[in-house]
Every structure is written in C-alpha cells, then in structure tokens.
C-alpha cells in the first residue's frame, strides 16, 4: 500500500505527518505485516524528506521520494 502518491505542496508537514501516521494505523489494523510506502509532501519531492516523520517502531515502512531535477 502507499498512503498517497505525490501529496501536493498544499499540505503542511505537521498535518501530513499526522494524516500519514493515522493511515498507517488504519492499515495496520488489518494488515500488520504489509509494507506500506510513505513519502513527503511537495509531490514526494526529495527536498521535503527532512520534514517527513514516520511512526516509530514500525519496521515495515518504505520511504519513497521523487527526483525531477
């Protein structure tokens, strides 16, 4: 699963991190072992990686980023 592909620049980091964490919690309720893909705001832009906060202790997360330069 991927929480959202290319969340736009309209998201603020705190709001996105909260939504992504909630999405992971919902997914984990029925899919505890599935890998979940999470990326930062700004269309998964690599420059926004520093603002991405992942749920602690979840070892089945994969971070994605896009590089268009």
């Amino acid at each position: 699963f991927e929480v959202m592909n290319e969340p736009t620049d309209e998201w603020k980091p705190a709001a996105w991190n909260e939504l992504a964490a909630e999405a992971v919690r919902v997914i984990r309720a029925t899919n505890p072992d599935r890998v979940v893909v999470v990326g930062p705001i700004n269309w998964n832009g690599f420059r926004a990686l520093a603002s991405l906060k992942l749920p602690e202790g979840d070892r089945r997360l994969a971070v994605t980023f896009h590089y268009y330069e």
Side-chain angles (χ1 to χ4, degrees):
F1 294 125
E2 183 171 13
V3 172
M4 182 186 297
N5 181 48
E6 297 189 338
T8 69
D9 62 348
E10 294 182 24
W11 284 95
K12 300 297 182 223
W16 172 246
N17 290 328
E18 185 177 324
L19 178 78
E22 179 61 21
V24 169
R25 279 191 292 276
V26 169
I27 292 167
R28 290 289 174 245
T30 57
N31 293 271
D33 297 321
R34 185 180 299 266
V35 174
V36 178
V37 178
V38 183
I41 58 172
N42 293 338
W43 296 277
N44 291 143
F46 76 98
R47 294 181 192 278
L49 280 169
S51 70
L52 181 62
K53 304 296 182 221
L54 300 174
E56 290 187 31
D58 192 327
R59 305 302 291 170
R60 295 206 172 267
L61 296 176
V63 174
T64 185
F65 67 91
H66 296 175
Y67 184 85
Y68 295 114
E69 293 182 17

